[in-house]
Amino acid sequence: MTDSEYMQFALKEAQKAAEEGEIPIGAVLVYRDMVIAAGHNRKETDRDPTAHAEVLVLREGAHILGRWRLTGASLYVTIEPCPMCAGALLNARISRLVYGSPNPQYGAIESRFHITGEGVLNHTMEITSGVCRKECQQLVDSFFNSKRG
């Protein structure tokens, strides 16, 4: 499958989040060309500040693979990860991150912070940004516009 096709799975998860009143961010974890975990933000539902889509998917993927090191896996997420999620991706040893839209306020990959930058930590990952960018951004914009009135 292509990056765009995997991102469509993440967008479906983000739509579920929106329907639940959560910030619409979705993520999927791919290992050996198979989606092994999928999820979306659940902070409000779970009353858990760490229940971001990325963290939930990493937990599920680690459980499925039976290990915390997720080397060889790719994470697809609709919005650029925040500092907490970027740190979790590095700690999980994700090999590749693909995200849709930048996060100018909290983005920890390229927008605001550069946690995954060369030489910052001992693990690096391949990063691809802008996949289905317009769709990813439109979903977040629609969500916040509806909340603001």
Side-chain angles (χ1 to χ4, degrees), residues 6-102:
Y6 285 125
M7 191 62 76
Q8 290 302 314
F9 281 111
L11 278 160
K12 287 178 185 173
E13 286 294 327
Q15 185 60 46
K16 289 179 191 176
E19 291 166 6
E20 295 171 10
E22 300 278 357
I23 295 173
I25 298 175
V28 296
L29 187 66
V30 175
Y31 184 73
R32 295 187 178 166
D33 300 320
M34 291 176 42
V35 174
I36 63 166
H40 55 273
N41 275 7
R42 295 185 50 89
K43 286 175 24 174
E44 302 299 329
T45 303
D46 294 352
R47 295 178 181 90
D48 178 355
T50 68
H52 291 204
E54 301 94 324
V55 171
L56 296 173
V57 166
L58 291 176
R59 288 176 185 159
E60 184 179 346
H63 178 75
I64 288 167
L65 293 177
R67 56 189 165 96
W68 66 266
R69 284 185 186 89
L70 301 177
T71 307
S74 298
L75 184 99
Y76 291 78
V77 63
T78 54
I79 302 296
E80 179 182 4
C82 71
M84 176 184 72
C85 293
L89 294 171
L90 288 168
N91 283 320
R93 309 300 196 265
I94 291 292
S95 294
R96 183 167 184 243
L97 167 66
V98 180
Y99 70 88
S101 183

